[in-house]
Amino acid sequence: MKDIKIGLLGFGTVGAGVVEILEKNAALLKNRLGVPLTLAQVADLDISRDRGVSIDPVLLTTEAAQVVENPDIDIVVELIGGYEPARTLVMAALACGKSVVTANKALLARHGEEIYAEADRCGGEIFFEASVGGGIPLITSIKENLGANHFHAILGILNGTCNYILTRMTQNGESFGAVLKDAQEKGFAEADPTFDVEGIDTAHKLAVLIGLCFGSIPDFRNIYVEGISRISSVDIDFARQFGYVIKLLAISKRSENGIEARVHPTMLPEDHPLAAVDGVFNAVEVVGDYVGPVTWIGQGAGRKATASAVVGDILQAARNLRAGVRQRTAPLGYLPAALRALPIIPMDDLMGQFYLRFSVIDRPGVLGRISTILGEKGISIASMIQMKRKADSQVPVVMMTHRTREAAIRAALERIDSDGVNCEPSVLIRIENSDSD
Ligand code: HSE
């Protein structure tokens, strides 16, 4: 084998980063692999824009299918993102016997099962280290280095945009809307930030992690998703007074009843390892039965970090091709026949502690009414703050509960909100801490 040929689908931010590494670090990559990695073709709808990297124009095409079908190409790198045409192209590349590298978590979250099955059927390989946590090398670690473990839990800060917004809200007291606008103007946040701020991107990444840790491909529609757009600085301030910070967390835990799979703003104790992960950084903690807790922190997005993970995958795929070995490790690290469809536990059945905020007029009986309703639902209050009254205006009343069932909390809040005691809908934020109450 003289060299290994790469075909790139998508010449955007990360694609340009991959081209840059292949060129600038060509000698290093050859020293690691033994043969050169050659960029053979690049497909994008826009082949005229300058990406700030040098590329022979003859390599550029607007026809992605040409790259997939090119018999000279060994490894197809899909960096288009989204569901289609990425799904069709990845499936076609696998059917052509190519090794595939992708950073596309949305694709894997929705179509992972058929893509892994196609790789298995065709004897091909698919690598996706860059799909979760950008440059953080956690997927290979979970599949390979931590393969001795049953995992109990996954906890992750998986979206840099949300973490950046929450960090600025926490550190500077800015509002969600103001930070988002500024982040968009500076190009940190997407023009359409919905997938990021509403937690969908995080849920895509959690779906991939659940497959890797628990050997179960979740139905994406059953993952509970709540984003950060309704988080206010008032709640961030109260969280601080109670010794917590608010993060958008992806959480999955395994129990005998199935798995929890949820993404929502979460109050974390200030001394939790993930509480100090700020700005655009991502972090993931997994807990294995032998290794215990393991935490990774690093850059979860951006051209350089993500391209680093993509090229790492290209190296792995190329090494296997050179050695004539494929499917040494199954895509999720479990043999396809060993994958199980574990049930996702309904949110109502979860046990946890909750932060509740009510907006009330400070009049006799108001607090009594709220505590009566909570008491009737079997909810015990662990601590409480009521702000000082300002004339006849609304005041926040904030409570932290002891451990209770989520269904009880929801039923109580419904009663309180319809009772007229509350001036605005109640706010609920889940608390993640030790299992003590
Ligand atoms: N938009 C994502 C983030 C990066 O803000 O973290 C790509 O998944």
Side-chain angles (χ1 to χ4, degrees):
M1 201 173 253
K2 282 206 317 290
D3 62 353
I4 304 264
K5 292 198 170 54
I6 316 295
L8 184 59
L9 307 177
F11 195 18
T13 307
V14 178
V18 169
V19 171
E20 179 182 317
I21 296 177
L22 290 177
E23 192 202 330
K24 284 200 174 160
N25 288 358
L28 170 76
L29 296 171
K30 186 175 170 219
N31 285 342
R32 292 194 189 278
L33 184 64
V35 295
L37 287 170
T38 305
L39 188 64
Q41 217 172 3
V42 176
D44 197 284
L45 291 178
D46 176 358
I47 54 173
S48 55
R49 185 162 55 90
D50 180 9
R51 272 84 169 178
V53 288
S54 69
I55 186 161
D56 183 345
V58 82
L59 302 184
L60 296 169
T61 173
T62 54
E63 298 298 323
Q66 269 184 21
V67 177
V68 167
E69 288 157 15
N70 183 338
D72 292 338
I73 286 176
D74 304 295
I75 301 172
V76 170
V77 180
E78 184 276 307
L79 297 174
I80 299 170
Y83 306 121
E84 286 292 355
R87 176 185 154 276
T88 303
L89 292 165
V90 164
M91 294 289 278
L94 290 167
C96 292
K98 315 281 189 204
S99 295
V100 173
V101 172
T102 180
N104 192 337
K105 56 262 158 188
L107 178 68
L108 297 174
R110 290 271 185 187
H111 302 292
E113 196 163 6
E114 68 170 327
I115 289 170
Y116 308 140
E118 185 66 356
D120 188 48
R121 189 184 71 77
C122 305
E125 291 204 287
I126 177 145
F127 298 84
F128 45 91
E129 184 62 69
S131 64
V132 182
I136 308 172
L138 57 91
I139 290 181
T140 307
S141 299
I142 293 171
K143 282 201 290 195
E144 310 255 354
N145 311 100
L146 299 179
N149 291 266
H150 288 106
F151 292 97
H152 302 307
I154 306 165
L155 225 58
I157 295 172
L158 299 175
N159 186 271
T161 305
C162 288
N163 207 37
Y164 174 80
I165 292 174
L166 289 174
T167 301
R168 270 185 55 179
M169 289 176 74
T170 304
Q171 293 179 351
N172 308 341
E174 296 168 90
S175 72
F176 169 81
V179 184
L180 175 60
K181 188 162 174 281
D182 187 48
Q184 283 174 312
E185 279 164 11
K186 290 186 171 138
F188 298 158
E190 302 282 346
D192 178 0
T194 314
F195 262 42
D196 288 322
V197 300
E198 295 308 342
I200 300 158
D201 175 73
T202 299
H204 286 149
K205 294 165 179 169
L206 180 63
V208 174
L209 289 178
I210 288 173
L212 290 158
C213 288
F214 302 133
S216 175
I217 300 177
D219 181 337
F220 184 73
R221 292 165 300 186
N222 292 336
I223 298 181
Y224 176 80
V225 187
E226 189 185 309
I228 63 165
S229 56
R230 286 196 299 276
I231 292 292
S232 85
S233 349
V234 178
D235 298 309
I236 289 178
D237 268 355
F238 278 120
R240 185 185 295 122
Q241 291 181 48
F242 284 108
Y244 289 85
V245 293
I246 298 178
K247 296 286 184 190
L248 182 72
L249 283 197
I251 302 174
S252 185
K253 296 180 185 174
R254 181 158 187 189
S255 70
E256 59 201 18
N257 301 327
I259 50 172
E260 298 173 20
R262 49 197 170 100
V263 171
H264 50 70
T266 308
M267 284 174 50
L268 272 180
E270 277 165 356
D271 59 357
H272 190 284
L274 300 193
V277 177
D278 283 335
V280 295
F281 276 72
N282 281 197
V284 177
E285 177 184 283
V286 297
V287 185
D289 55 354
Y290 279 83
V291 73
V294 178
T295 307
W296 296 267
I297 299 173
Q299 295 188 55
R303 165 177 159 145
K304 285 187 160 186
T306 311
S308 155
V310 170
V311 176
D313 274 354
I314 292 174
L315 273 176
Q316 279 204 58
R319 285 192 185 107
N320 288 356
L321 288 170
R322 288 207 71 210
V325 198
R326 295 177 102 194
Q327 300 196 327
R328 192 182 59 82
T329 309
L332 292 172
Y334 287 78
L335 292 180
L339 292 171
R340 296 280 173 269
L342 295 171
I344 293 186
I345 300 169
M347 289 298 282
D348 271 356
D349 293 344
L350 298 186
M351 292 293 293
Q353 278 186 269
F354 297 85
Y355 160 99
L356 307 174
R357 177 165 60 81
F358 307 102
S359 299
V360 300
I361 303 291
D362 184 6
R363 292 198 190 113
V366 166
L367 197 52
R369 184 74 197 125
I370 291 176
S371 6
T372 302
I373 295 173
L374 292 173
E376 280 168 6
K377 299 288 173 196
I379 298 159
S380 173
I381 299 159
S383 44
M384 199 199 93
I385 299 176
Q386 178 179 327
M387 296 308 280
K388 214 166 151 207
R389 177 217 294 244
K390 283 193 214 130
D392 241 10
S393 60
Q394 288 173 225
V395 287
V397 170
V398 170
M399 296 176 181
M400 310 278 272
T401 72
H402 284 294
R403 271 172 76 75
T404 189
R405 231 175 125 233
E406 176 139 347
I409 288 283
R410 287 188 197 255
L413 296 189
E414 212 168 287
R415 275 276 295 285
I416 291 167
D417 287 350
S418 61
D419 195 80
V421 66
N422 209 9
C423 305
E424 286 172 14
S426 323
V427 172
L428 171 165
I429 302 177
R430 296 167 188 84
I431 301 171
E432 183 68 26
N433 50 23
S434 66
D435 283 342
S436 67
D437 57 350

